[in-house]
Amino acid sequence: MVAVIDSTKPHSARFWNYFVGGTDHYEVDRRIGDEIKGIFPGLVDVAVAGRLFLGRAVRHLAGEAGVRQFLDIGTGLPTADNTHQVAQQVAPDARIVYVDNDPVLLEHANALLTSTPQGATSYLEADLHHPEAVLEAAAGTLDLSRPVALMILNTLGHVADHDQALDLVRRLLAGLPSGSHLVISDSTATSEGMIAASEAYNASGAVPYHVRSIGEIAGFFDGLDLVDPGIVQVPEWRPDIHGPTDPATAAVDAYCGVGRKP
């Protein structure tokens, strides 16, 4: 069945793709993107910094932490240095499962389905709101008896209720063994500009995205052992790990963390 793409309303993946310099976006995405740039230019830095954090986190996990399996939920549109590319550069035998539930991303899934001969990459149409189903499907590619890096980047804001978001993350982690890691980054309500940008985006007809407090981001890691430097602004998480230099040197309204399941 051919996926139906609504090009009349902004879409978070296409909107973010526009901000990080990709090519998979429509006029409606560029229009709201330009409007928000006028309200809060710093959101572009948030998008770029988040993408670079993904690379640093995956390099750390595949390298120093020795993780060989990655479950990336809320994949977004492929750009450069996707999770499987970064992980398999460090560890060619790494196995990666991408998860999303949107037709616009299904159209681009084939761009993600590449792998080294030693590893594996797959794409699942599944929903964060059904974590047990996500885990069951991911088990077709990943060995869930061995550590997995659970990546949820710039995605949890689509879950309006914070308690529900916490529950979803905990249920996903419950299906993963000791030694697994949780990786989260998200925009935060830490400036008037970011709050105004969020309100403008949510009024555009797109699926709403809710920015949270730093404390709420930290709450996702309760019960985990935080990897240094803990919960920090995105550009501050291990900027010395080999990879592209983060141009967002100023503070950004986005926080991140990596935690290990004991």
Side-chain angles (χ1 to χ4, degrees), residues 82-180:
N82 300 290
T83 299
H84 72 287
Q85 293 168 317
V86 177
Q88 292 181 344
Q89 284 172 358
V90 177
D93 59 337
R95 304 177 73 84
I96 297 88
V97 171
Y98 291 103
V99 177
D100 219 300
N101 70 331
D102 197 287
V104 71
L105 303 176
L106 294 176
E107 289 290 297
H108 293 269
N110 286 337
L112 291 172
L113 293 178
T114 59
S115 177
T116 58
Q118 306 97 311
T121 303
S122 64
Y123 185 98
L124 301 178
E125 182 182 5
D127 193 325
L128 170 66
H129 290 85
H130 304 288
E132 289 78 18
V134 169
L135 291 168
E136 182 180 357
T141 299
L142 307 180
D143 177 356
L144 299 188
S145 69
R146 299 175 56 211
V148 174
L150 174 61
M151 317 272 299
I152 316 178
L153 307 184
N154 305 302
T155 297
L156 288 167
H158 285 307
V159 183
D161 183 78
H162 182 58
D163 287 340
Q164 183 186 14
L166 284 171
D167 179 64
L168 293 172
V169 171
R170 287 168 182 162
R171 287 161 64 188
L172 286 164
L173 285 171
L176 302 178
S178 173
S180 294

Side-chain angles (χ1 to χ4, degrees), residues 23 56 79-80 102 115 154 158 170 178 183 185 219 226-227 236 247:
T23 58
R56 297 197 303 276
T79 56
D102 197 287
S115 177
N154 305 302
H158 285 307
R170 287 168 182 162
S178 173
V183 184
S185 69
L226 277 172
V227 175
E236 296 176 355

